[in-house]
Amino acid sequence: MKELSAIDLKLAFEQDIRMALYTLDRYNIEANLALVACDDYDIDKAHLIESVRQSDIIKKVNEHYLAVLFTFVDHIGAGRALEKLVNLYEEFHLKGSLIILKKGETVEEVCDRLLKANHIIHQDPSCKIFNEFEYASAL
C-alpha cells in the first residue's frame, strides 16, 4: 500500500467535500466519497477519470490514488459505480474504499475515515472493495 495522508486528500478535495457536506446538511442530499488505489500500476488514469458520470467529481490525489465524490446517488448506487470503476482494469487488481458522508462531519473527519477505510482494504489481499455501509462497525 502506498502512503496517503489527509493533507493529500484535503489538497485535492477540500472544497468539494465541504460543498457536499453543506448540501447534505442543508438539503439532505446524500453524497459518498471513494478512494481508488492504483498503487504501482501504470494504468490509464485518464480513462478511469473519464469513466465516471458527469455529475460525479473525480480527481487524481497523487500518482497512486484517485478520489471520487459520488453525488446525487445513494450508497447502493455509489457502491455499484465504484465496483464498475475498480473492475475497469481487473488485471491490475485495483482496490476501492467507499464511505458515506455524515451530517455534522468536518472535512478532516471525512478524510480520516477515508484513510481508515483505505487501510482496511489493503489488509485483505482478496478483497477489492471496502464499503462502509456493509462494514459500519469497522470504522
Side-chain angles (χ1 to χ4, degrees):
M1 174 178 85
K2 296 297 178 184
E3 289 302 315
L4 180 67
S5 71
I7 293 172
D8 293 332
L9 285 172
K10 281 181 69 174
L11 285 174
F13 254 88
E14 182 173 15
Q15 293 304 318
D16 300 305
I17 294 170
R18 195 174 305 283
M19 183 54 81
L21 288 170
Y22 171 79
T23 304
L24 174 63
D25 285 338
R26 177 79 184 220
Y27 303 107
N28 206 31
I29 297 174
E30 190 174 336
N32 301 269
L33 186 60
L35 192 62
V36 177
C38 304
D39 289 343
D40 294 321
Y41 305 113
D42 186 26
I43 65 171
D44 186 1
K45 291 180 184 72
H47 184 253
L48 279 174
I49 289 171
E50 291 171 2
S51 69
V52 300
R53 298 178 314 161
Q54 287 185 347
S55 62
D56 297 330
I57 302 165
I58 185 168
K59 293 182 181 176
K60 188 174 170 183
V61 176
N62 62 27
E63 63 187 63
H64 301 288
Y65 289 94
L66 298 172
V68 186
L69 183 62
F70 294 108
T71 57
F72 304 107
V73 66
D74 64 7
H75 62 275
I76 296 168
R80 288 184 184 141
L82 177 60
E83 186 176 348
K84 178 183 169 191
L85 196 60
V86 167
N87 288 330
L88 199 57
Y89 287 101
E90 205 163 332
E91 67 273 16
F92 290 119
H93 309 288
L94 302 178
K95 292 186 173 279
S97 308
L98 180 68
I99 64 167
I100 303 161
L101 274 62
K102 299 176 183 173
K103 284 188 175 185
E105 228 176 1
T106 65
V107 172
E108 290 77 16
E109 290 169 331
V110 170
C111 291
D112 287 343
R113 282 194 309 117
L114 190 58
L115 290 174
K116 286 178 188 174
N118 183 55
H119 188 68
I120 290 169
I121 191 70
H122 279 87
Q123 290 177 346
D124 184 355
S126 64
C127 191
K128 290 170 41 173
I129 294 178
F130 174 86
N131 186 330
E132 177 187 55
F133 184 75
E134 296 171 4
Y135 303 98
S137 63
L139 296 178

